[in-house]
Amino acid sequence: MDRNTIEHEYRRLGYRLGWRFMTAPARNLERAAVAIITLNPGGTAPHGPDWSAETGSAYVAESWDGRPTGAAPARRQVQRLGAVLGTTPDDVFSAHFVPFRSPDWASLPRRPDAVAFARRLWAWAGARTAARTVVCVGKTVVGSEIATVFGARLERTVAAGWGEQSIDRYVAADGRIVLGLPHLGRVKLF
């Protein structure tokens, strides 16, 4: 799997807003103990393609939505999540489950095809990542899909402390933990 494979699928599926896979330097895939996986890159203007964020974590080093670098609300949530996990964004492997950009998940055309491709992409990435804790932001799609990729079984569901929202905890046979969190852009857990 490489940038050309993603680009080919992007074109085949007819997307027009660009794509992004990793929101961290590529080296973090094989060295970081913690991974944070979000659903897909948002936006209404074309951007990318971006295989990785080699200048550092996109959650710290980039400006989104016209806000100062690292200050968008969803970014602050991911930064705080890293602190809760005892790491910094630059020491995390972070990426999108589906690399294709859309204004929101509901408006992404050909979602079933995008998810089918994401499964192949994550089978590749999952075999290479050193992460022992995998945090999935957007549990309905990302959490359950990544748990399946890692062969993890649902161990328990706990209240998130935000209305009826909950957090799913999966455990893989190799001891890897997969957490499915609500979407941090909509639910402020941290």
Side-chain angles (χ1 to χ4, degrees):
M1 191 69 62
D2 60 16
R3 68 183 311 114
N4 294 329
T5 306
I6 297 174
E7 181 67 24
H8 173 77
E9 192 69 3
Y10 170 82
R11 291 177 187 274
R12 186 185 79 77
L13 294 174
Y15 295 123
R16 299 282 180 252
L17 292 177
W19 61 266
R20 174 179 233 172
F21 177 41
M22 293 178 250
T23 53
R27 67 182 174 273
N28 288 15
L29 171 64
E30 296 180 351
R31 70 177 197 152
V34 174
I36 298 175
I37 305 168
T38 58
L39 185 53
N40 76 313
T44 56
H47 184 75
D50 294 313
W51 172 253
S52 62
E54 294 305 313
T55 59
S57 171
Y59 294 99
V60 176
E62 296 179 6
S63 172
W64 293 347
D65 302 328
R67 297 180 186 253
T69 303
R75 289 176 175 210
R76 308 277 296 171
Q77 289 287 299
V78 171
Q79 291 167 16
R80 290 180 184 134
L81 169 61
V84 166
L85 295 170
T87 188
T88 66
D90 285 329
D91 293 325
V92 168
F93 170 62
S94 58
H96 298 292
F97 176 65
V98 170
F100 312 123
R101 184 175 311 283
S102 64
D104 55 42
W105 182 244
S107 64
L108 180 70
R110 302 186 69 176
R111 279 191 317 270
D113 294 324
V115 169
F117 173 73
R119 289 178 186 136
R120 294 192 316 270
L121 176 63
W122 281 96
W124 172 84
R128 284 156 183 75
T129 186
R132 304 301 299 156
T133 302
V134 180
V135 180
C136 303
V137 177
K139 71 179 208 163
T140 306
V141 176
V142 183
S144 60
E145 290 287 346
I146 291 296
T148 300
V149 166
F150 289 116
R153 296 190 184 273
L154 182 63
E155 180 184 65
R156 69 176 172 249
T157 298
V158 298
W162 182 272
E164 295 184 20
Q165 298 293 326
S166 61
I167 298 170
D168 295 335
R169 177 185 160 99
Y170 300 84
V171 179
D174 65 0
R176 192 178 313 219
I177 304 296
V178 177
L179 300 173
L181 275 58
H183 194 292
L184 295 179
R186 295 181 184 91
V187 177
K188 293 182 178 30
L189 294 181
F190 305 99

